[in-house]
Structures are given as C-alpha cells and as structure tokens.
Amino acid sequence: IAPSYAIVDDVLDRNSSLDDFTWNLLREIHRHDCSHFYVHAFSNGGCFVWERMRTILLNEREEAALLSEESSRIVDELKAILVGAIFDSGPIVELDRINQAIQQCSEQERAEILHRCGPIHIDTDPEQKRIVEQRKKRYIQNLRDDPRHIPQLYLYSRDDPLAPHFFIDELVAHRRKLHLVQQQVWDTSEHCAHFRHHPDDYVDAIRLFLRSCCWANSTNSLCSSTSAWPSFLAWCWSTRCWCVHRRSN
C-alpha cells in the first residue's frame, strides 16, 4: 500500500509522488534478488501501486526508450519474475468518495494529506470533479481490459462499505473469461481485516493461488515442480519490513 497522500495525488491526477514510491519499491525488490515475486495489494492504496507497477514493468517499447540503462535493467529482470497479483479489499472504483476514505486515516495522515495535496472539494469544485471522473474511467478500463496474462486473486467481503463487492464480482467475471483469476469472498469481514477474521481461509486461498501461479509459469524450471516451489518476498506496510513467504509442502 502506498502512503495516503500519494493516493490522493493520483486520484487528482497528480501522480509524481506515486511514481517515486513505486520506483523505490521496485528497486528494493530488485535489491533483494528474489527468485520470483508477487504483488499483495491492500485497498486502493495497493491497487494504485499495482497499476503503476504494471505500467512500468510491462511498458510499451516507446516508454522503455525513456528509461536509463539501470532502470531498464531492473525492469527487464523484475518483469521476468513477476508471477501474480493479490488484491485485498479492492479495487474501489468510487474515487469520488475519497473524502470518506480519508476519514479512515490517522490524524497524522490526514494532516499530511492536507499539507501535501491541499483541500479536497470534489462535491463543490467542478474542476476537481471532472478530473476525478476522468481518472475513474481510466482506472476502470485499466482494471478490466489489461491484456496481460498475470494471475490474479481477489480477497473481499460482501459487507465492506468501503469496497462494494458488486464491482469486484463483475471485474472477476469479466477477467476470468480470458485470464487466470481466483476469488475468495466472505459474507462478513471488515475492510482490510479479512486475515484477522478468517485466517485459515485467507492462508488457504493464497497457498492455492501461489501454486496456480507456478502452474501458469510451468515452463520455468523453478515452478515446474512443487518441490522446487520458490520463496516469495513481500513488503508488509504495517510492520515496515520485508516478509518471506516460504514454500509449504
């Protein structure tokens, strides 16, 4: 998940801070020299990072020409070992409800958002409303119509007021027609708290998904056998540390 101010920047189509955050994250992953990695995104703070990361790693040829030699090398190496993406409590496409989301932030985060982004008046400022609506349309299109075959897992609940399940249900059904997509849905569970309420289901869903990622990448010798199933490196934002998901027999 990205810092809250970076998400607000992106909703208002001022995404330079999110670009910087995502590049720093990619460099950190590259520095750890892991065999494979997947993205585990929480809420829109994680989905926006995934959206930007996907654009960087799976960029078009004309965009690649703008990268430095070092950045180009990082992109080439990381996109070869990206095996999947997990979305917990997202995506949330009602971007015009950003003020409601900000109220869930800590007092310190809200102060930082105000300092960096200024006041948000989507309901009363026609220009802000127009910008957010355009960003929403682009966000939905990017989520629905991404042509790349990267396995995805969606973890969400039917009573999450911040992440309505209707859009996620539709998104899963749409993408499942052409791509490897899995889902785990609970009737009751709080936003970004599914592991706390359903730890066994949560772990089982991720374990099954990671095995599916290996099958999807079966041409890679590392994934062709469950005995060679690699470790996965993930950033835990709540503890500000890297966690290694070890192979489970």
Side-chain angles (χ1 to χ4, degrees):
I1 186 169
S4 299
Y5 69 82
I7 303 308
V8 175
D9 267 351
D10 193 83
V11 170
L12 298 176
D13 216 13
R14 304 189 301 249
N15 59 4
S16 59
S17 57
L18 187 62
D19 288 346
D20 294 340
F21 176 86
T22 305
W23 266 111
N24 289 337
L25 183 60
L26 289 173
R27 292 186 180 98
E28 185 71 10
I29 296 172
H30 185 263
R31 186 175 69 81
H32 279 77
D33 195 28
C34 52
S35 60
H36 286 67
F37 82 100
Y38 69 96
V39 174
H40 195 149
F42 288 84
S43 194
N44 265 1
C47 290
F48 283 4
V49 174
W50 161 250
E51 183 185 36
R52 186 65 192 123
M53 184 181 293
R54 183 198 63 198
T55 300
I56 293 172
L57 292 182
L58 307 172
N59 54 3
E60 301 298 333
R61 185 168 301 178
E62 57 270 21
E63 293 180 350
L66 302 176
L67 297 177
S68 67
E69 183 176 346
E70 178 190 10
S71 296
S72 181
R73 178 173 58 84
I74 290 174
V75 166
D76 288 342
E77 293 179 8
L78 288 185
K79 70 182 178 182
I81 61 172
L82 171 62
V83 296
I86 299 173
F87 304 97
D88 182 314
S89 305
I92 306 167
V93 297
E94 291 82 2
L95 301 186
D96 52 348
R97 296 168 59 191
I98 188 67
N99 280 318
Q100 179 182 348
I102 291 174
Q103 295 308 310
Q104 307 299 315
C105 298
S106 67
E107 184 177 347
Q108 180 181 354
E109 286 178 311
R110 292 198 297 270
E112 186 173 28
I113 291 171
L114 180 62
H115 173 70
R116 289 175 174 265
C117 306
I120 302 172
H121 303 297
I122 297 173
D123 293 333
T124 58
D125 186 331
E127 180 61 15
Q128 279 195 3
K129 185 176 181 63
R130 182 190 65 80
I131 291 172
V132 172
E133 283 297 319
Q134 288 182 345
R135 181 68 181 93
K136 176 180 178 179
K137 291 178 182 179
R138 193 163 68 249
Y139 188 43
I140 292 175
Q141 182 177 1
N142 289 341
L143 292 167
R144 284 176 49 88
D145 301 328
D146 179 11
R148 302 163 181 93
H149 296 281
I150 298 175
Q152 297 179 346
L153 167 65
Y154 293 84
L155 307 166
Y156 59 105
S157 72
R158 301 199 181 281
D159 69 342
D160 184 345
L162 286 179
H165 69 89
F166 304 104
F167 175 78
I168 305 176
D169 288 340
E170 191 276 334
L171 175 64
V172 169
H174 177 80
R175 292 197 57 77
R176 189 175 273 166
K177 297 173 185 177
L178 298 174
H179 306 277
L180 176 58
V181 176
Q182 298 177 20
Q183 67 188 134
Q184 172 66 59
V185 192
W186 295 277
D187 289 331
T188 58
S189 191
E190 297 172 16
H191 188 70
C192 290
H194 308 314
F195 175 73
R196 187 176 69 194
H197 292 292
H198 310 281
D200 293 338
D201 288 346
Y202 199 97
V203 171
D204 287 345
I206 291 178
R207 180 180 292 122
L208 176 62
F209 175 69
L210 294 183
R211 287 173 176 164
S212 299
C213 290
C214 287
W215 296 333
N217 290 272
S218 59
T219 55
N220 187 311
S221 60
L222 268 174
C223 290
S224 60
S225 169
T226 56
S227 64
W229 195 38
S231 301
F232 290 80
L233 190 68
W235 174 258
C236 179
W237 187 256
S238 60
T239 59
R240 306 300 203 274
C241 65
W242 288 95
C243 303
V244 178
H245 296 240
R246 298 290 182 185
R247 176 174 62 85
S248 176
N249 292 322

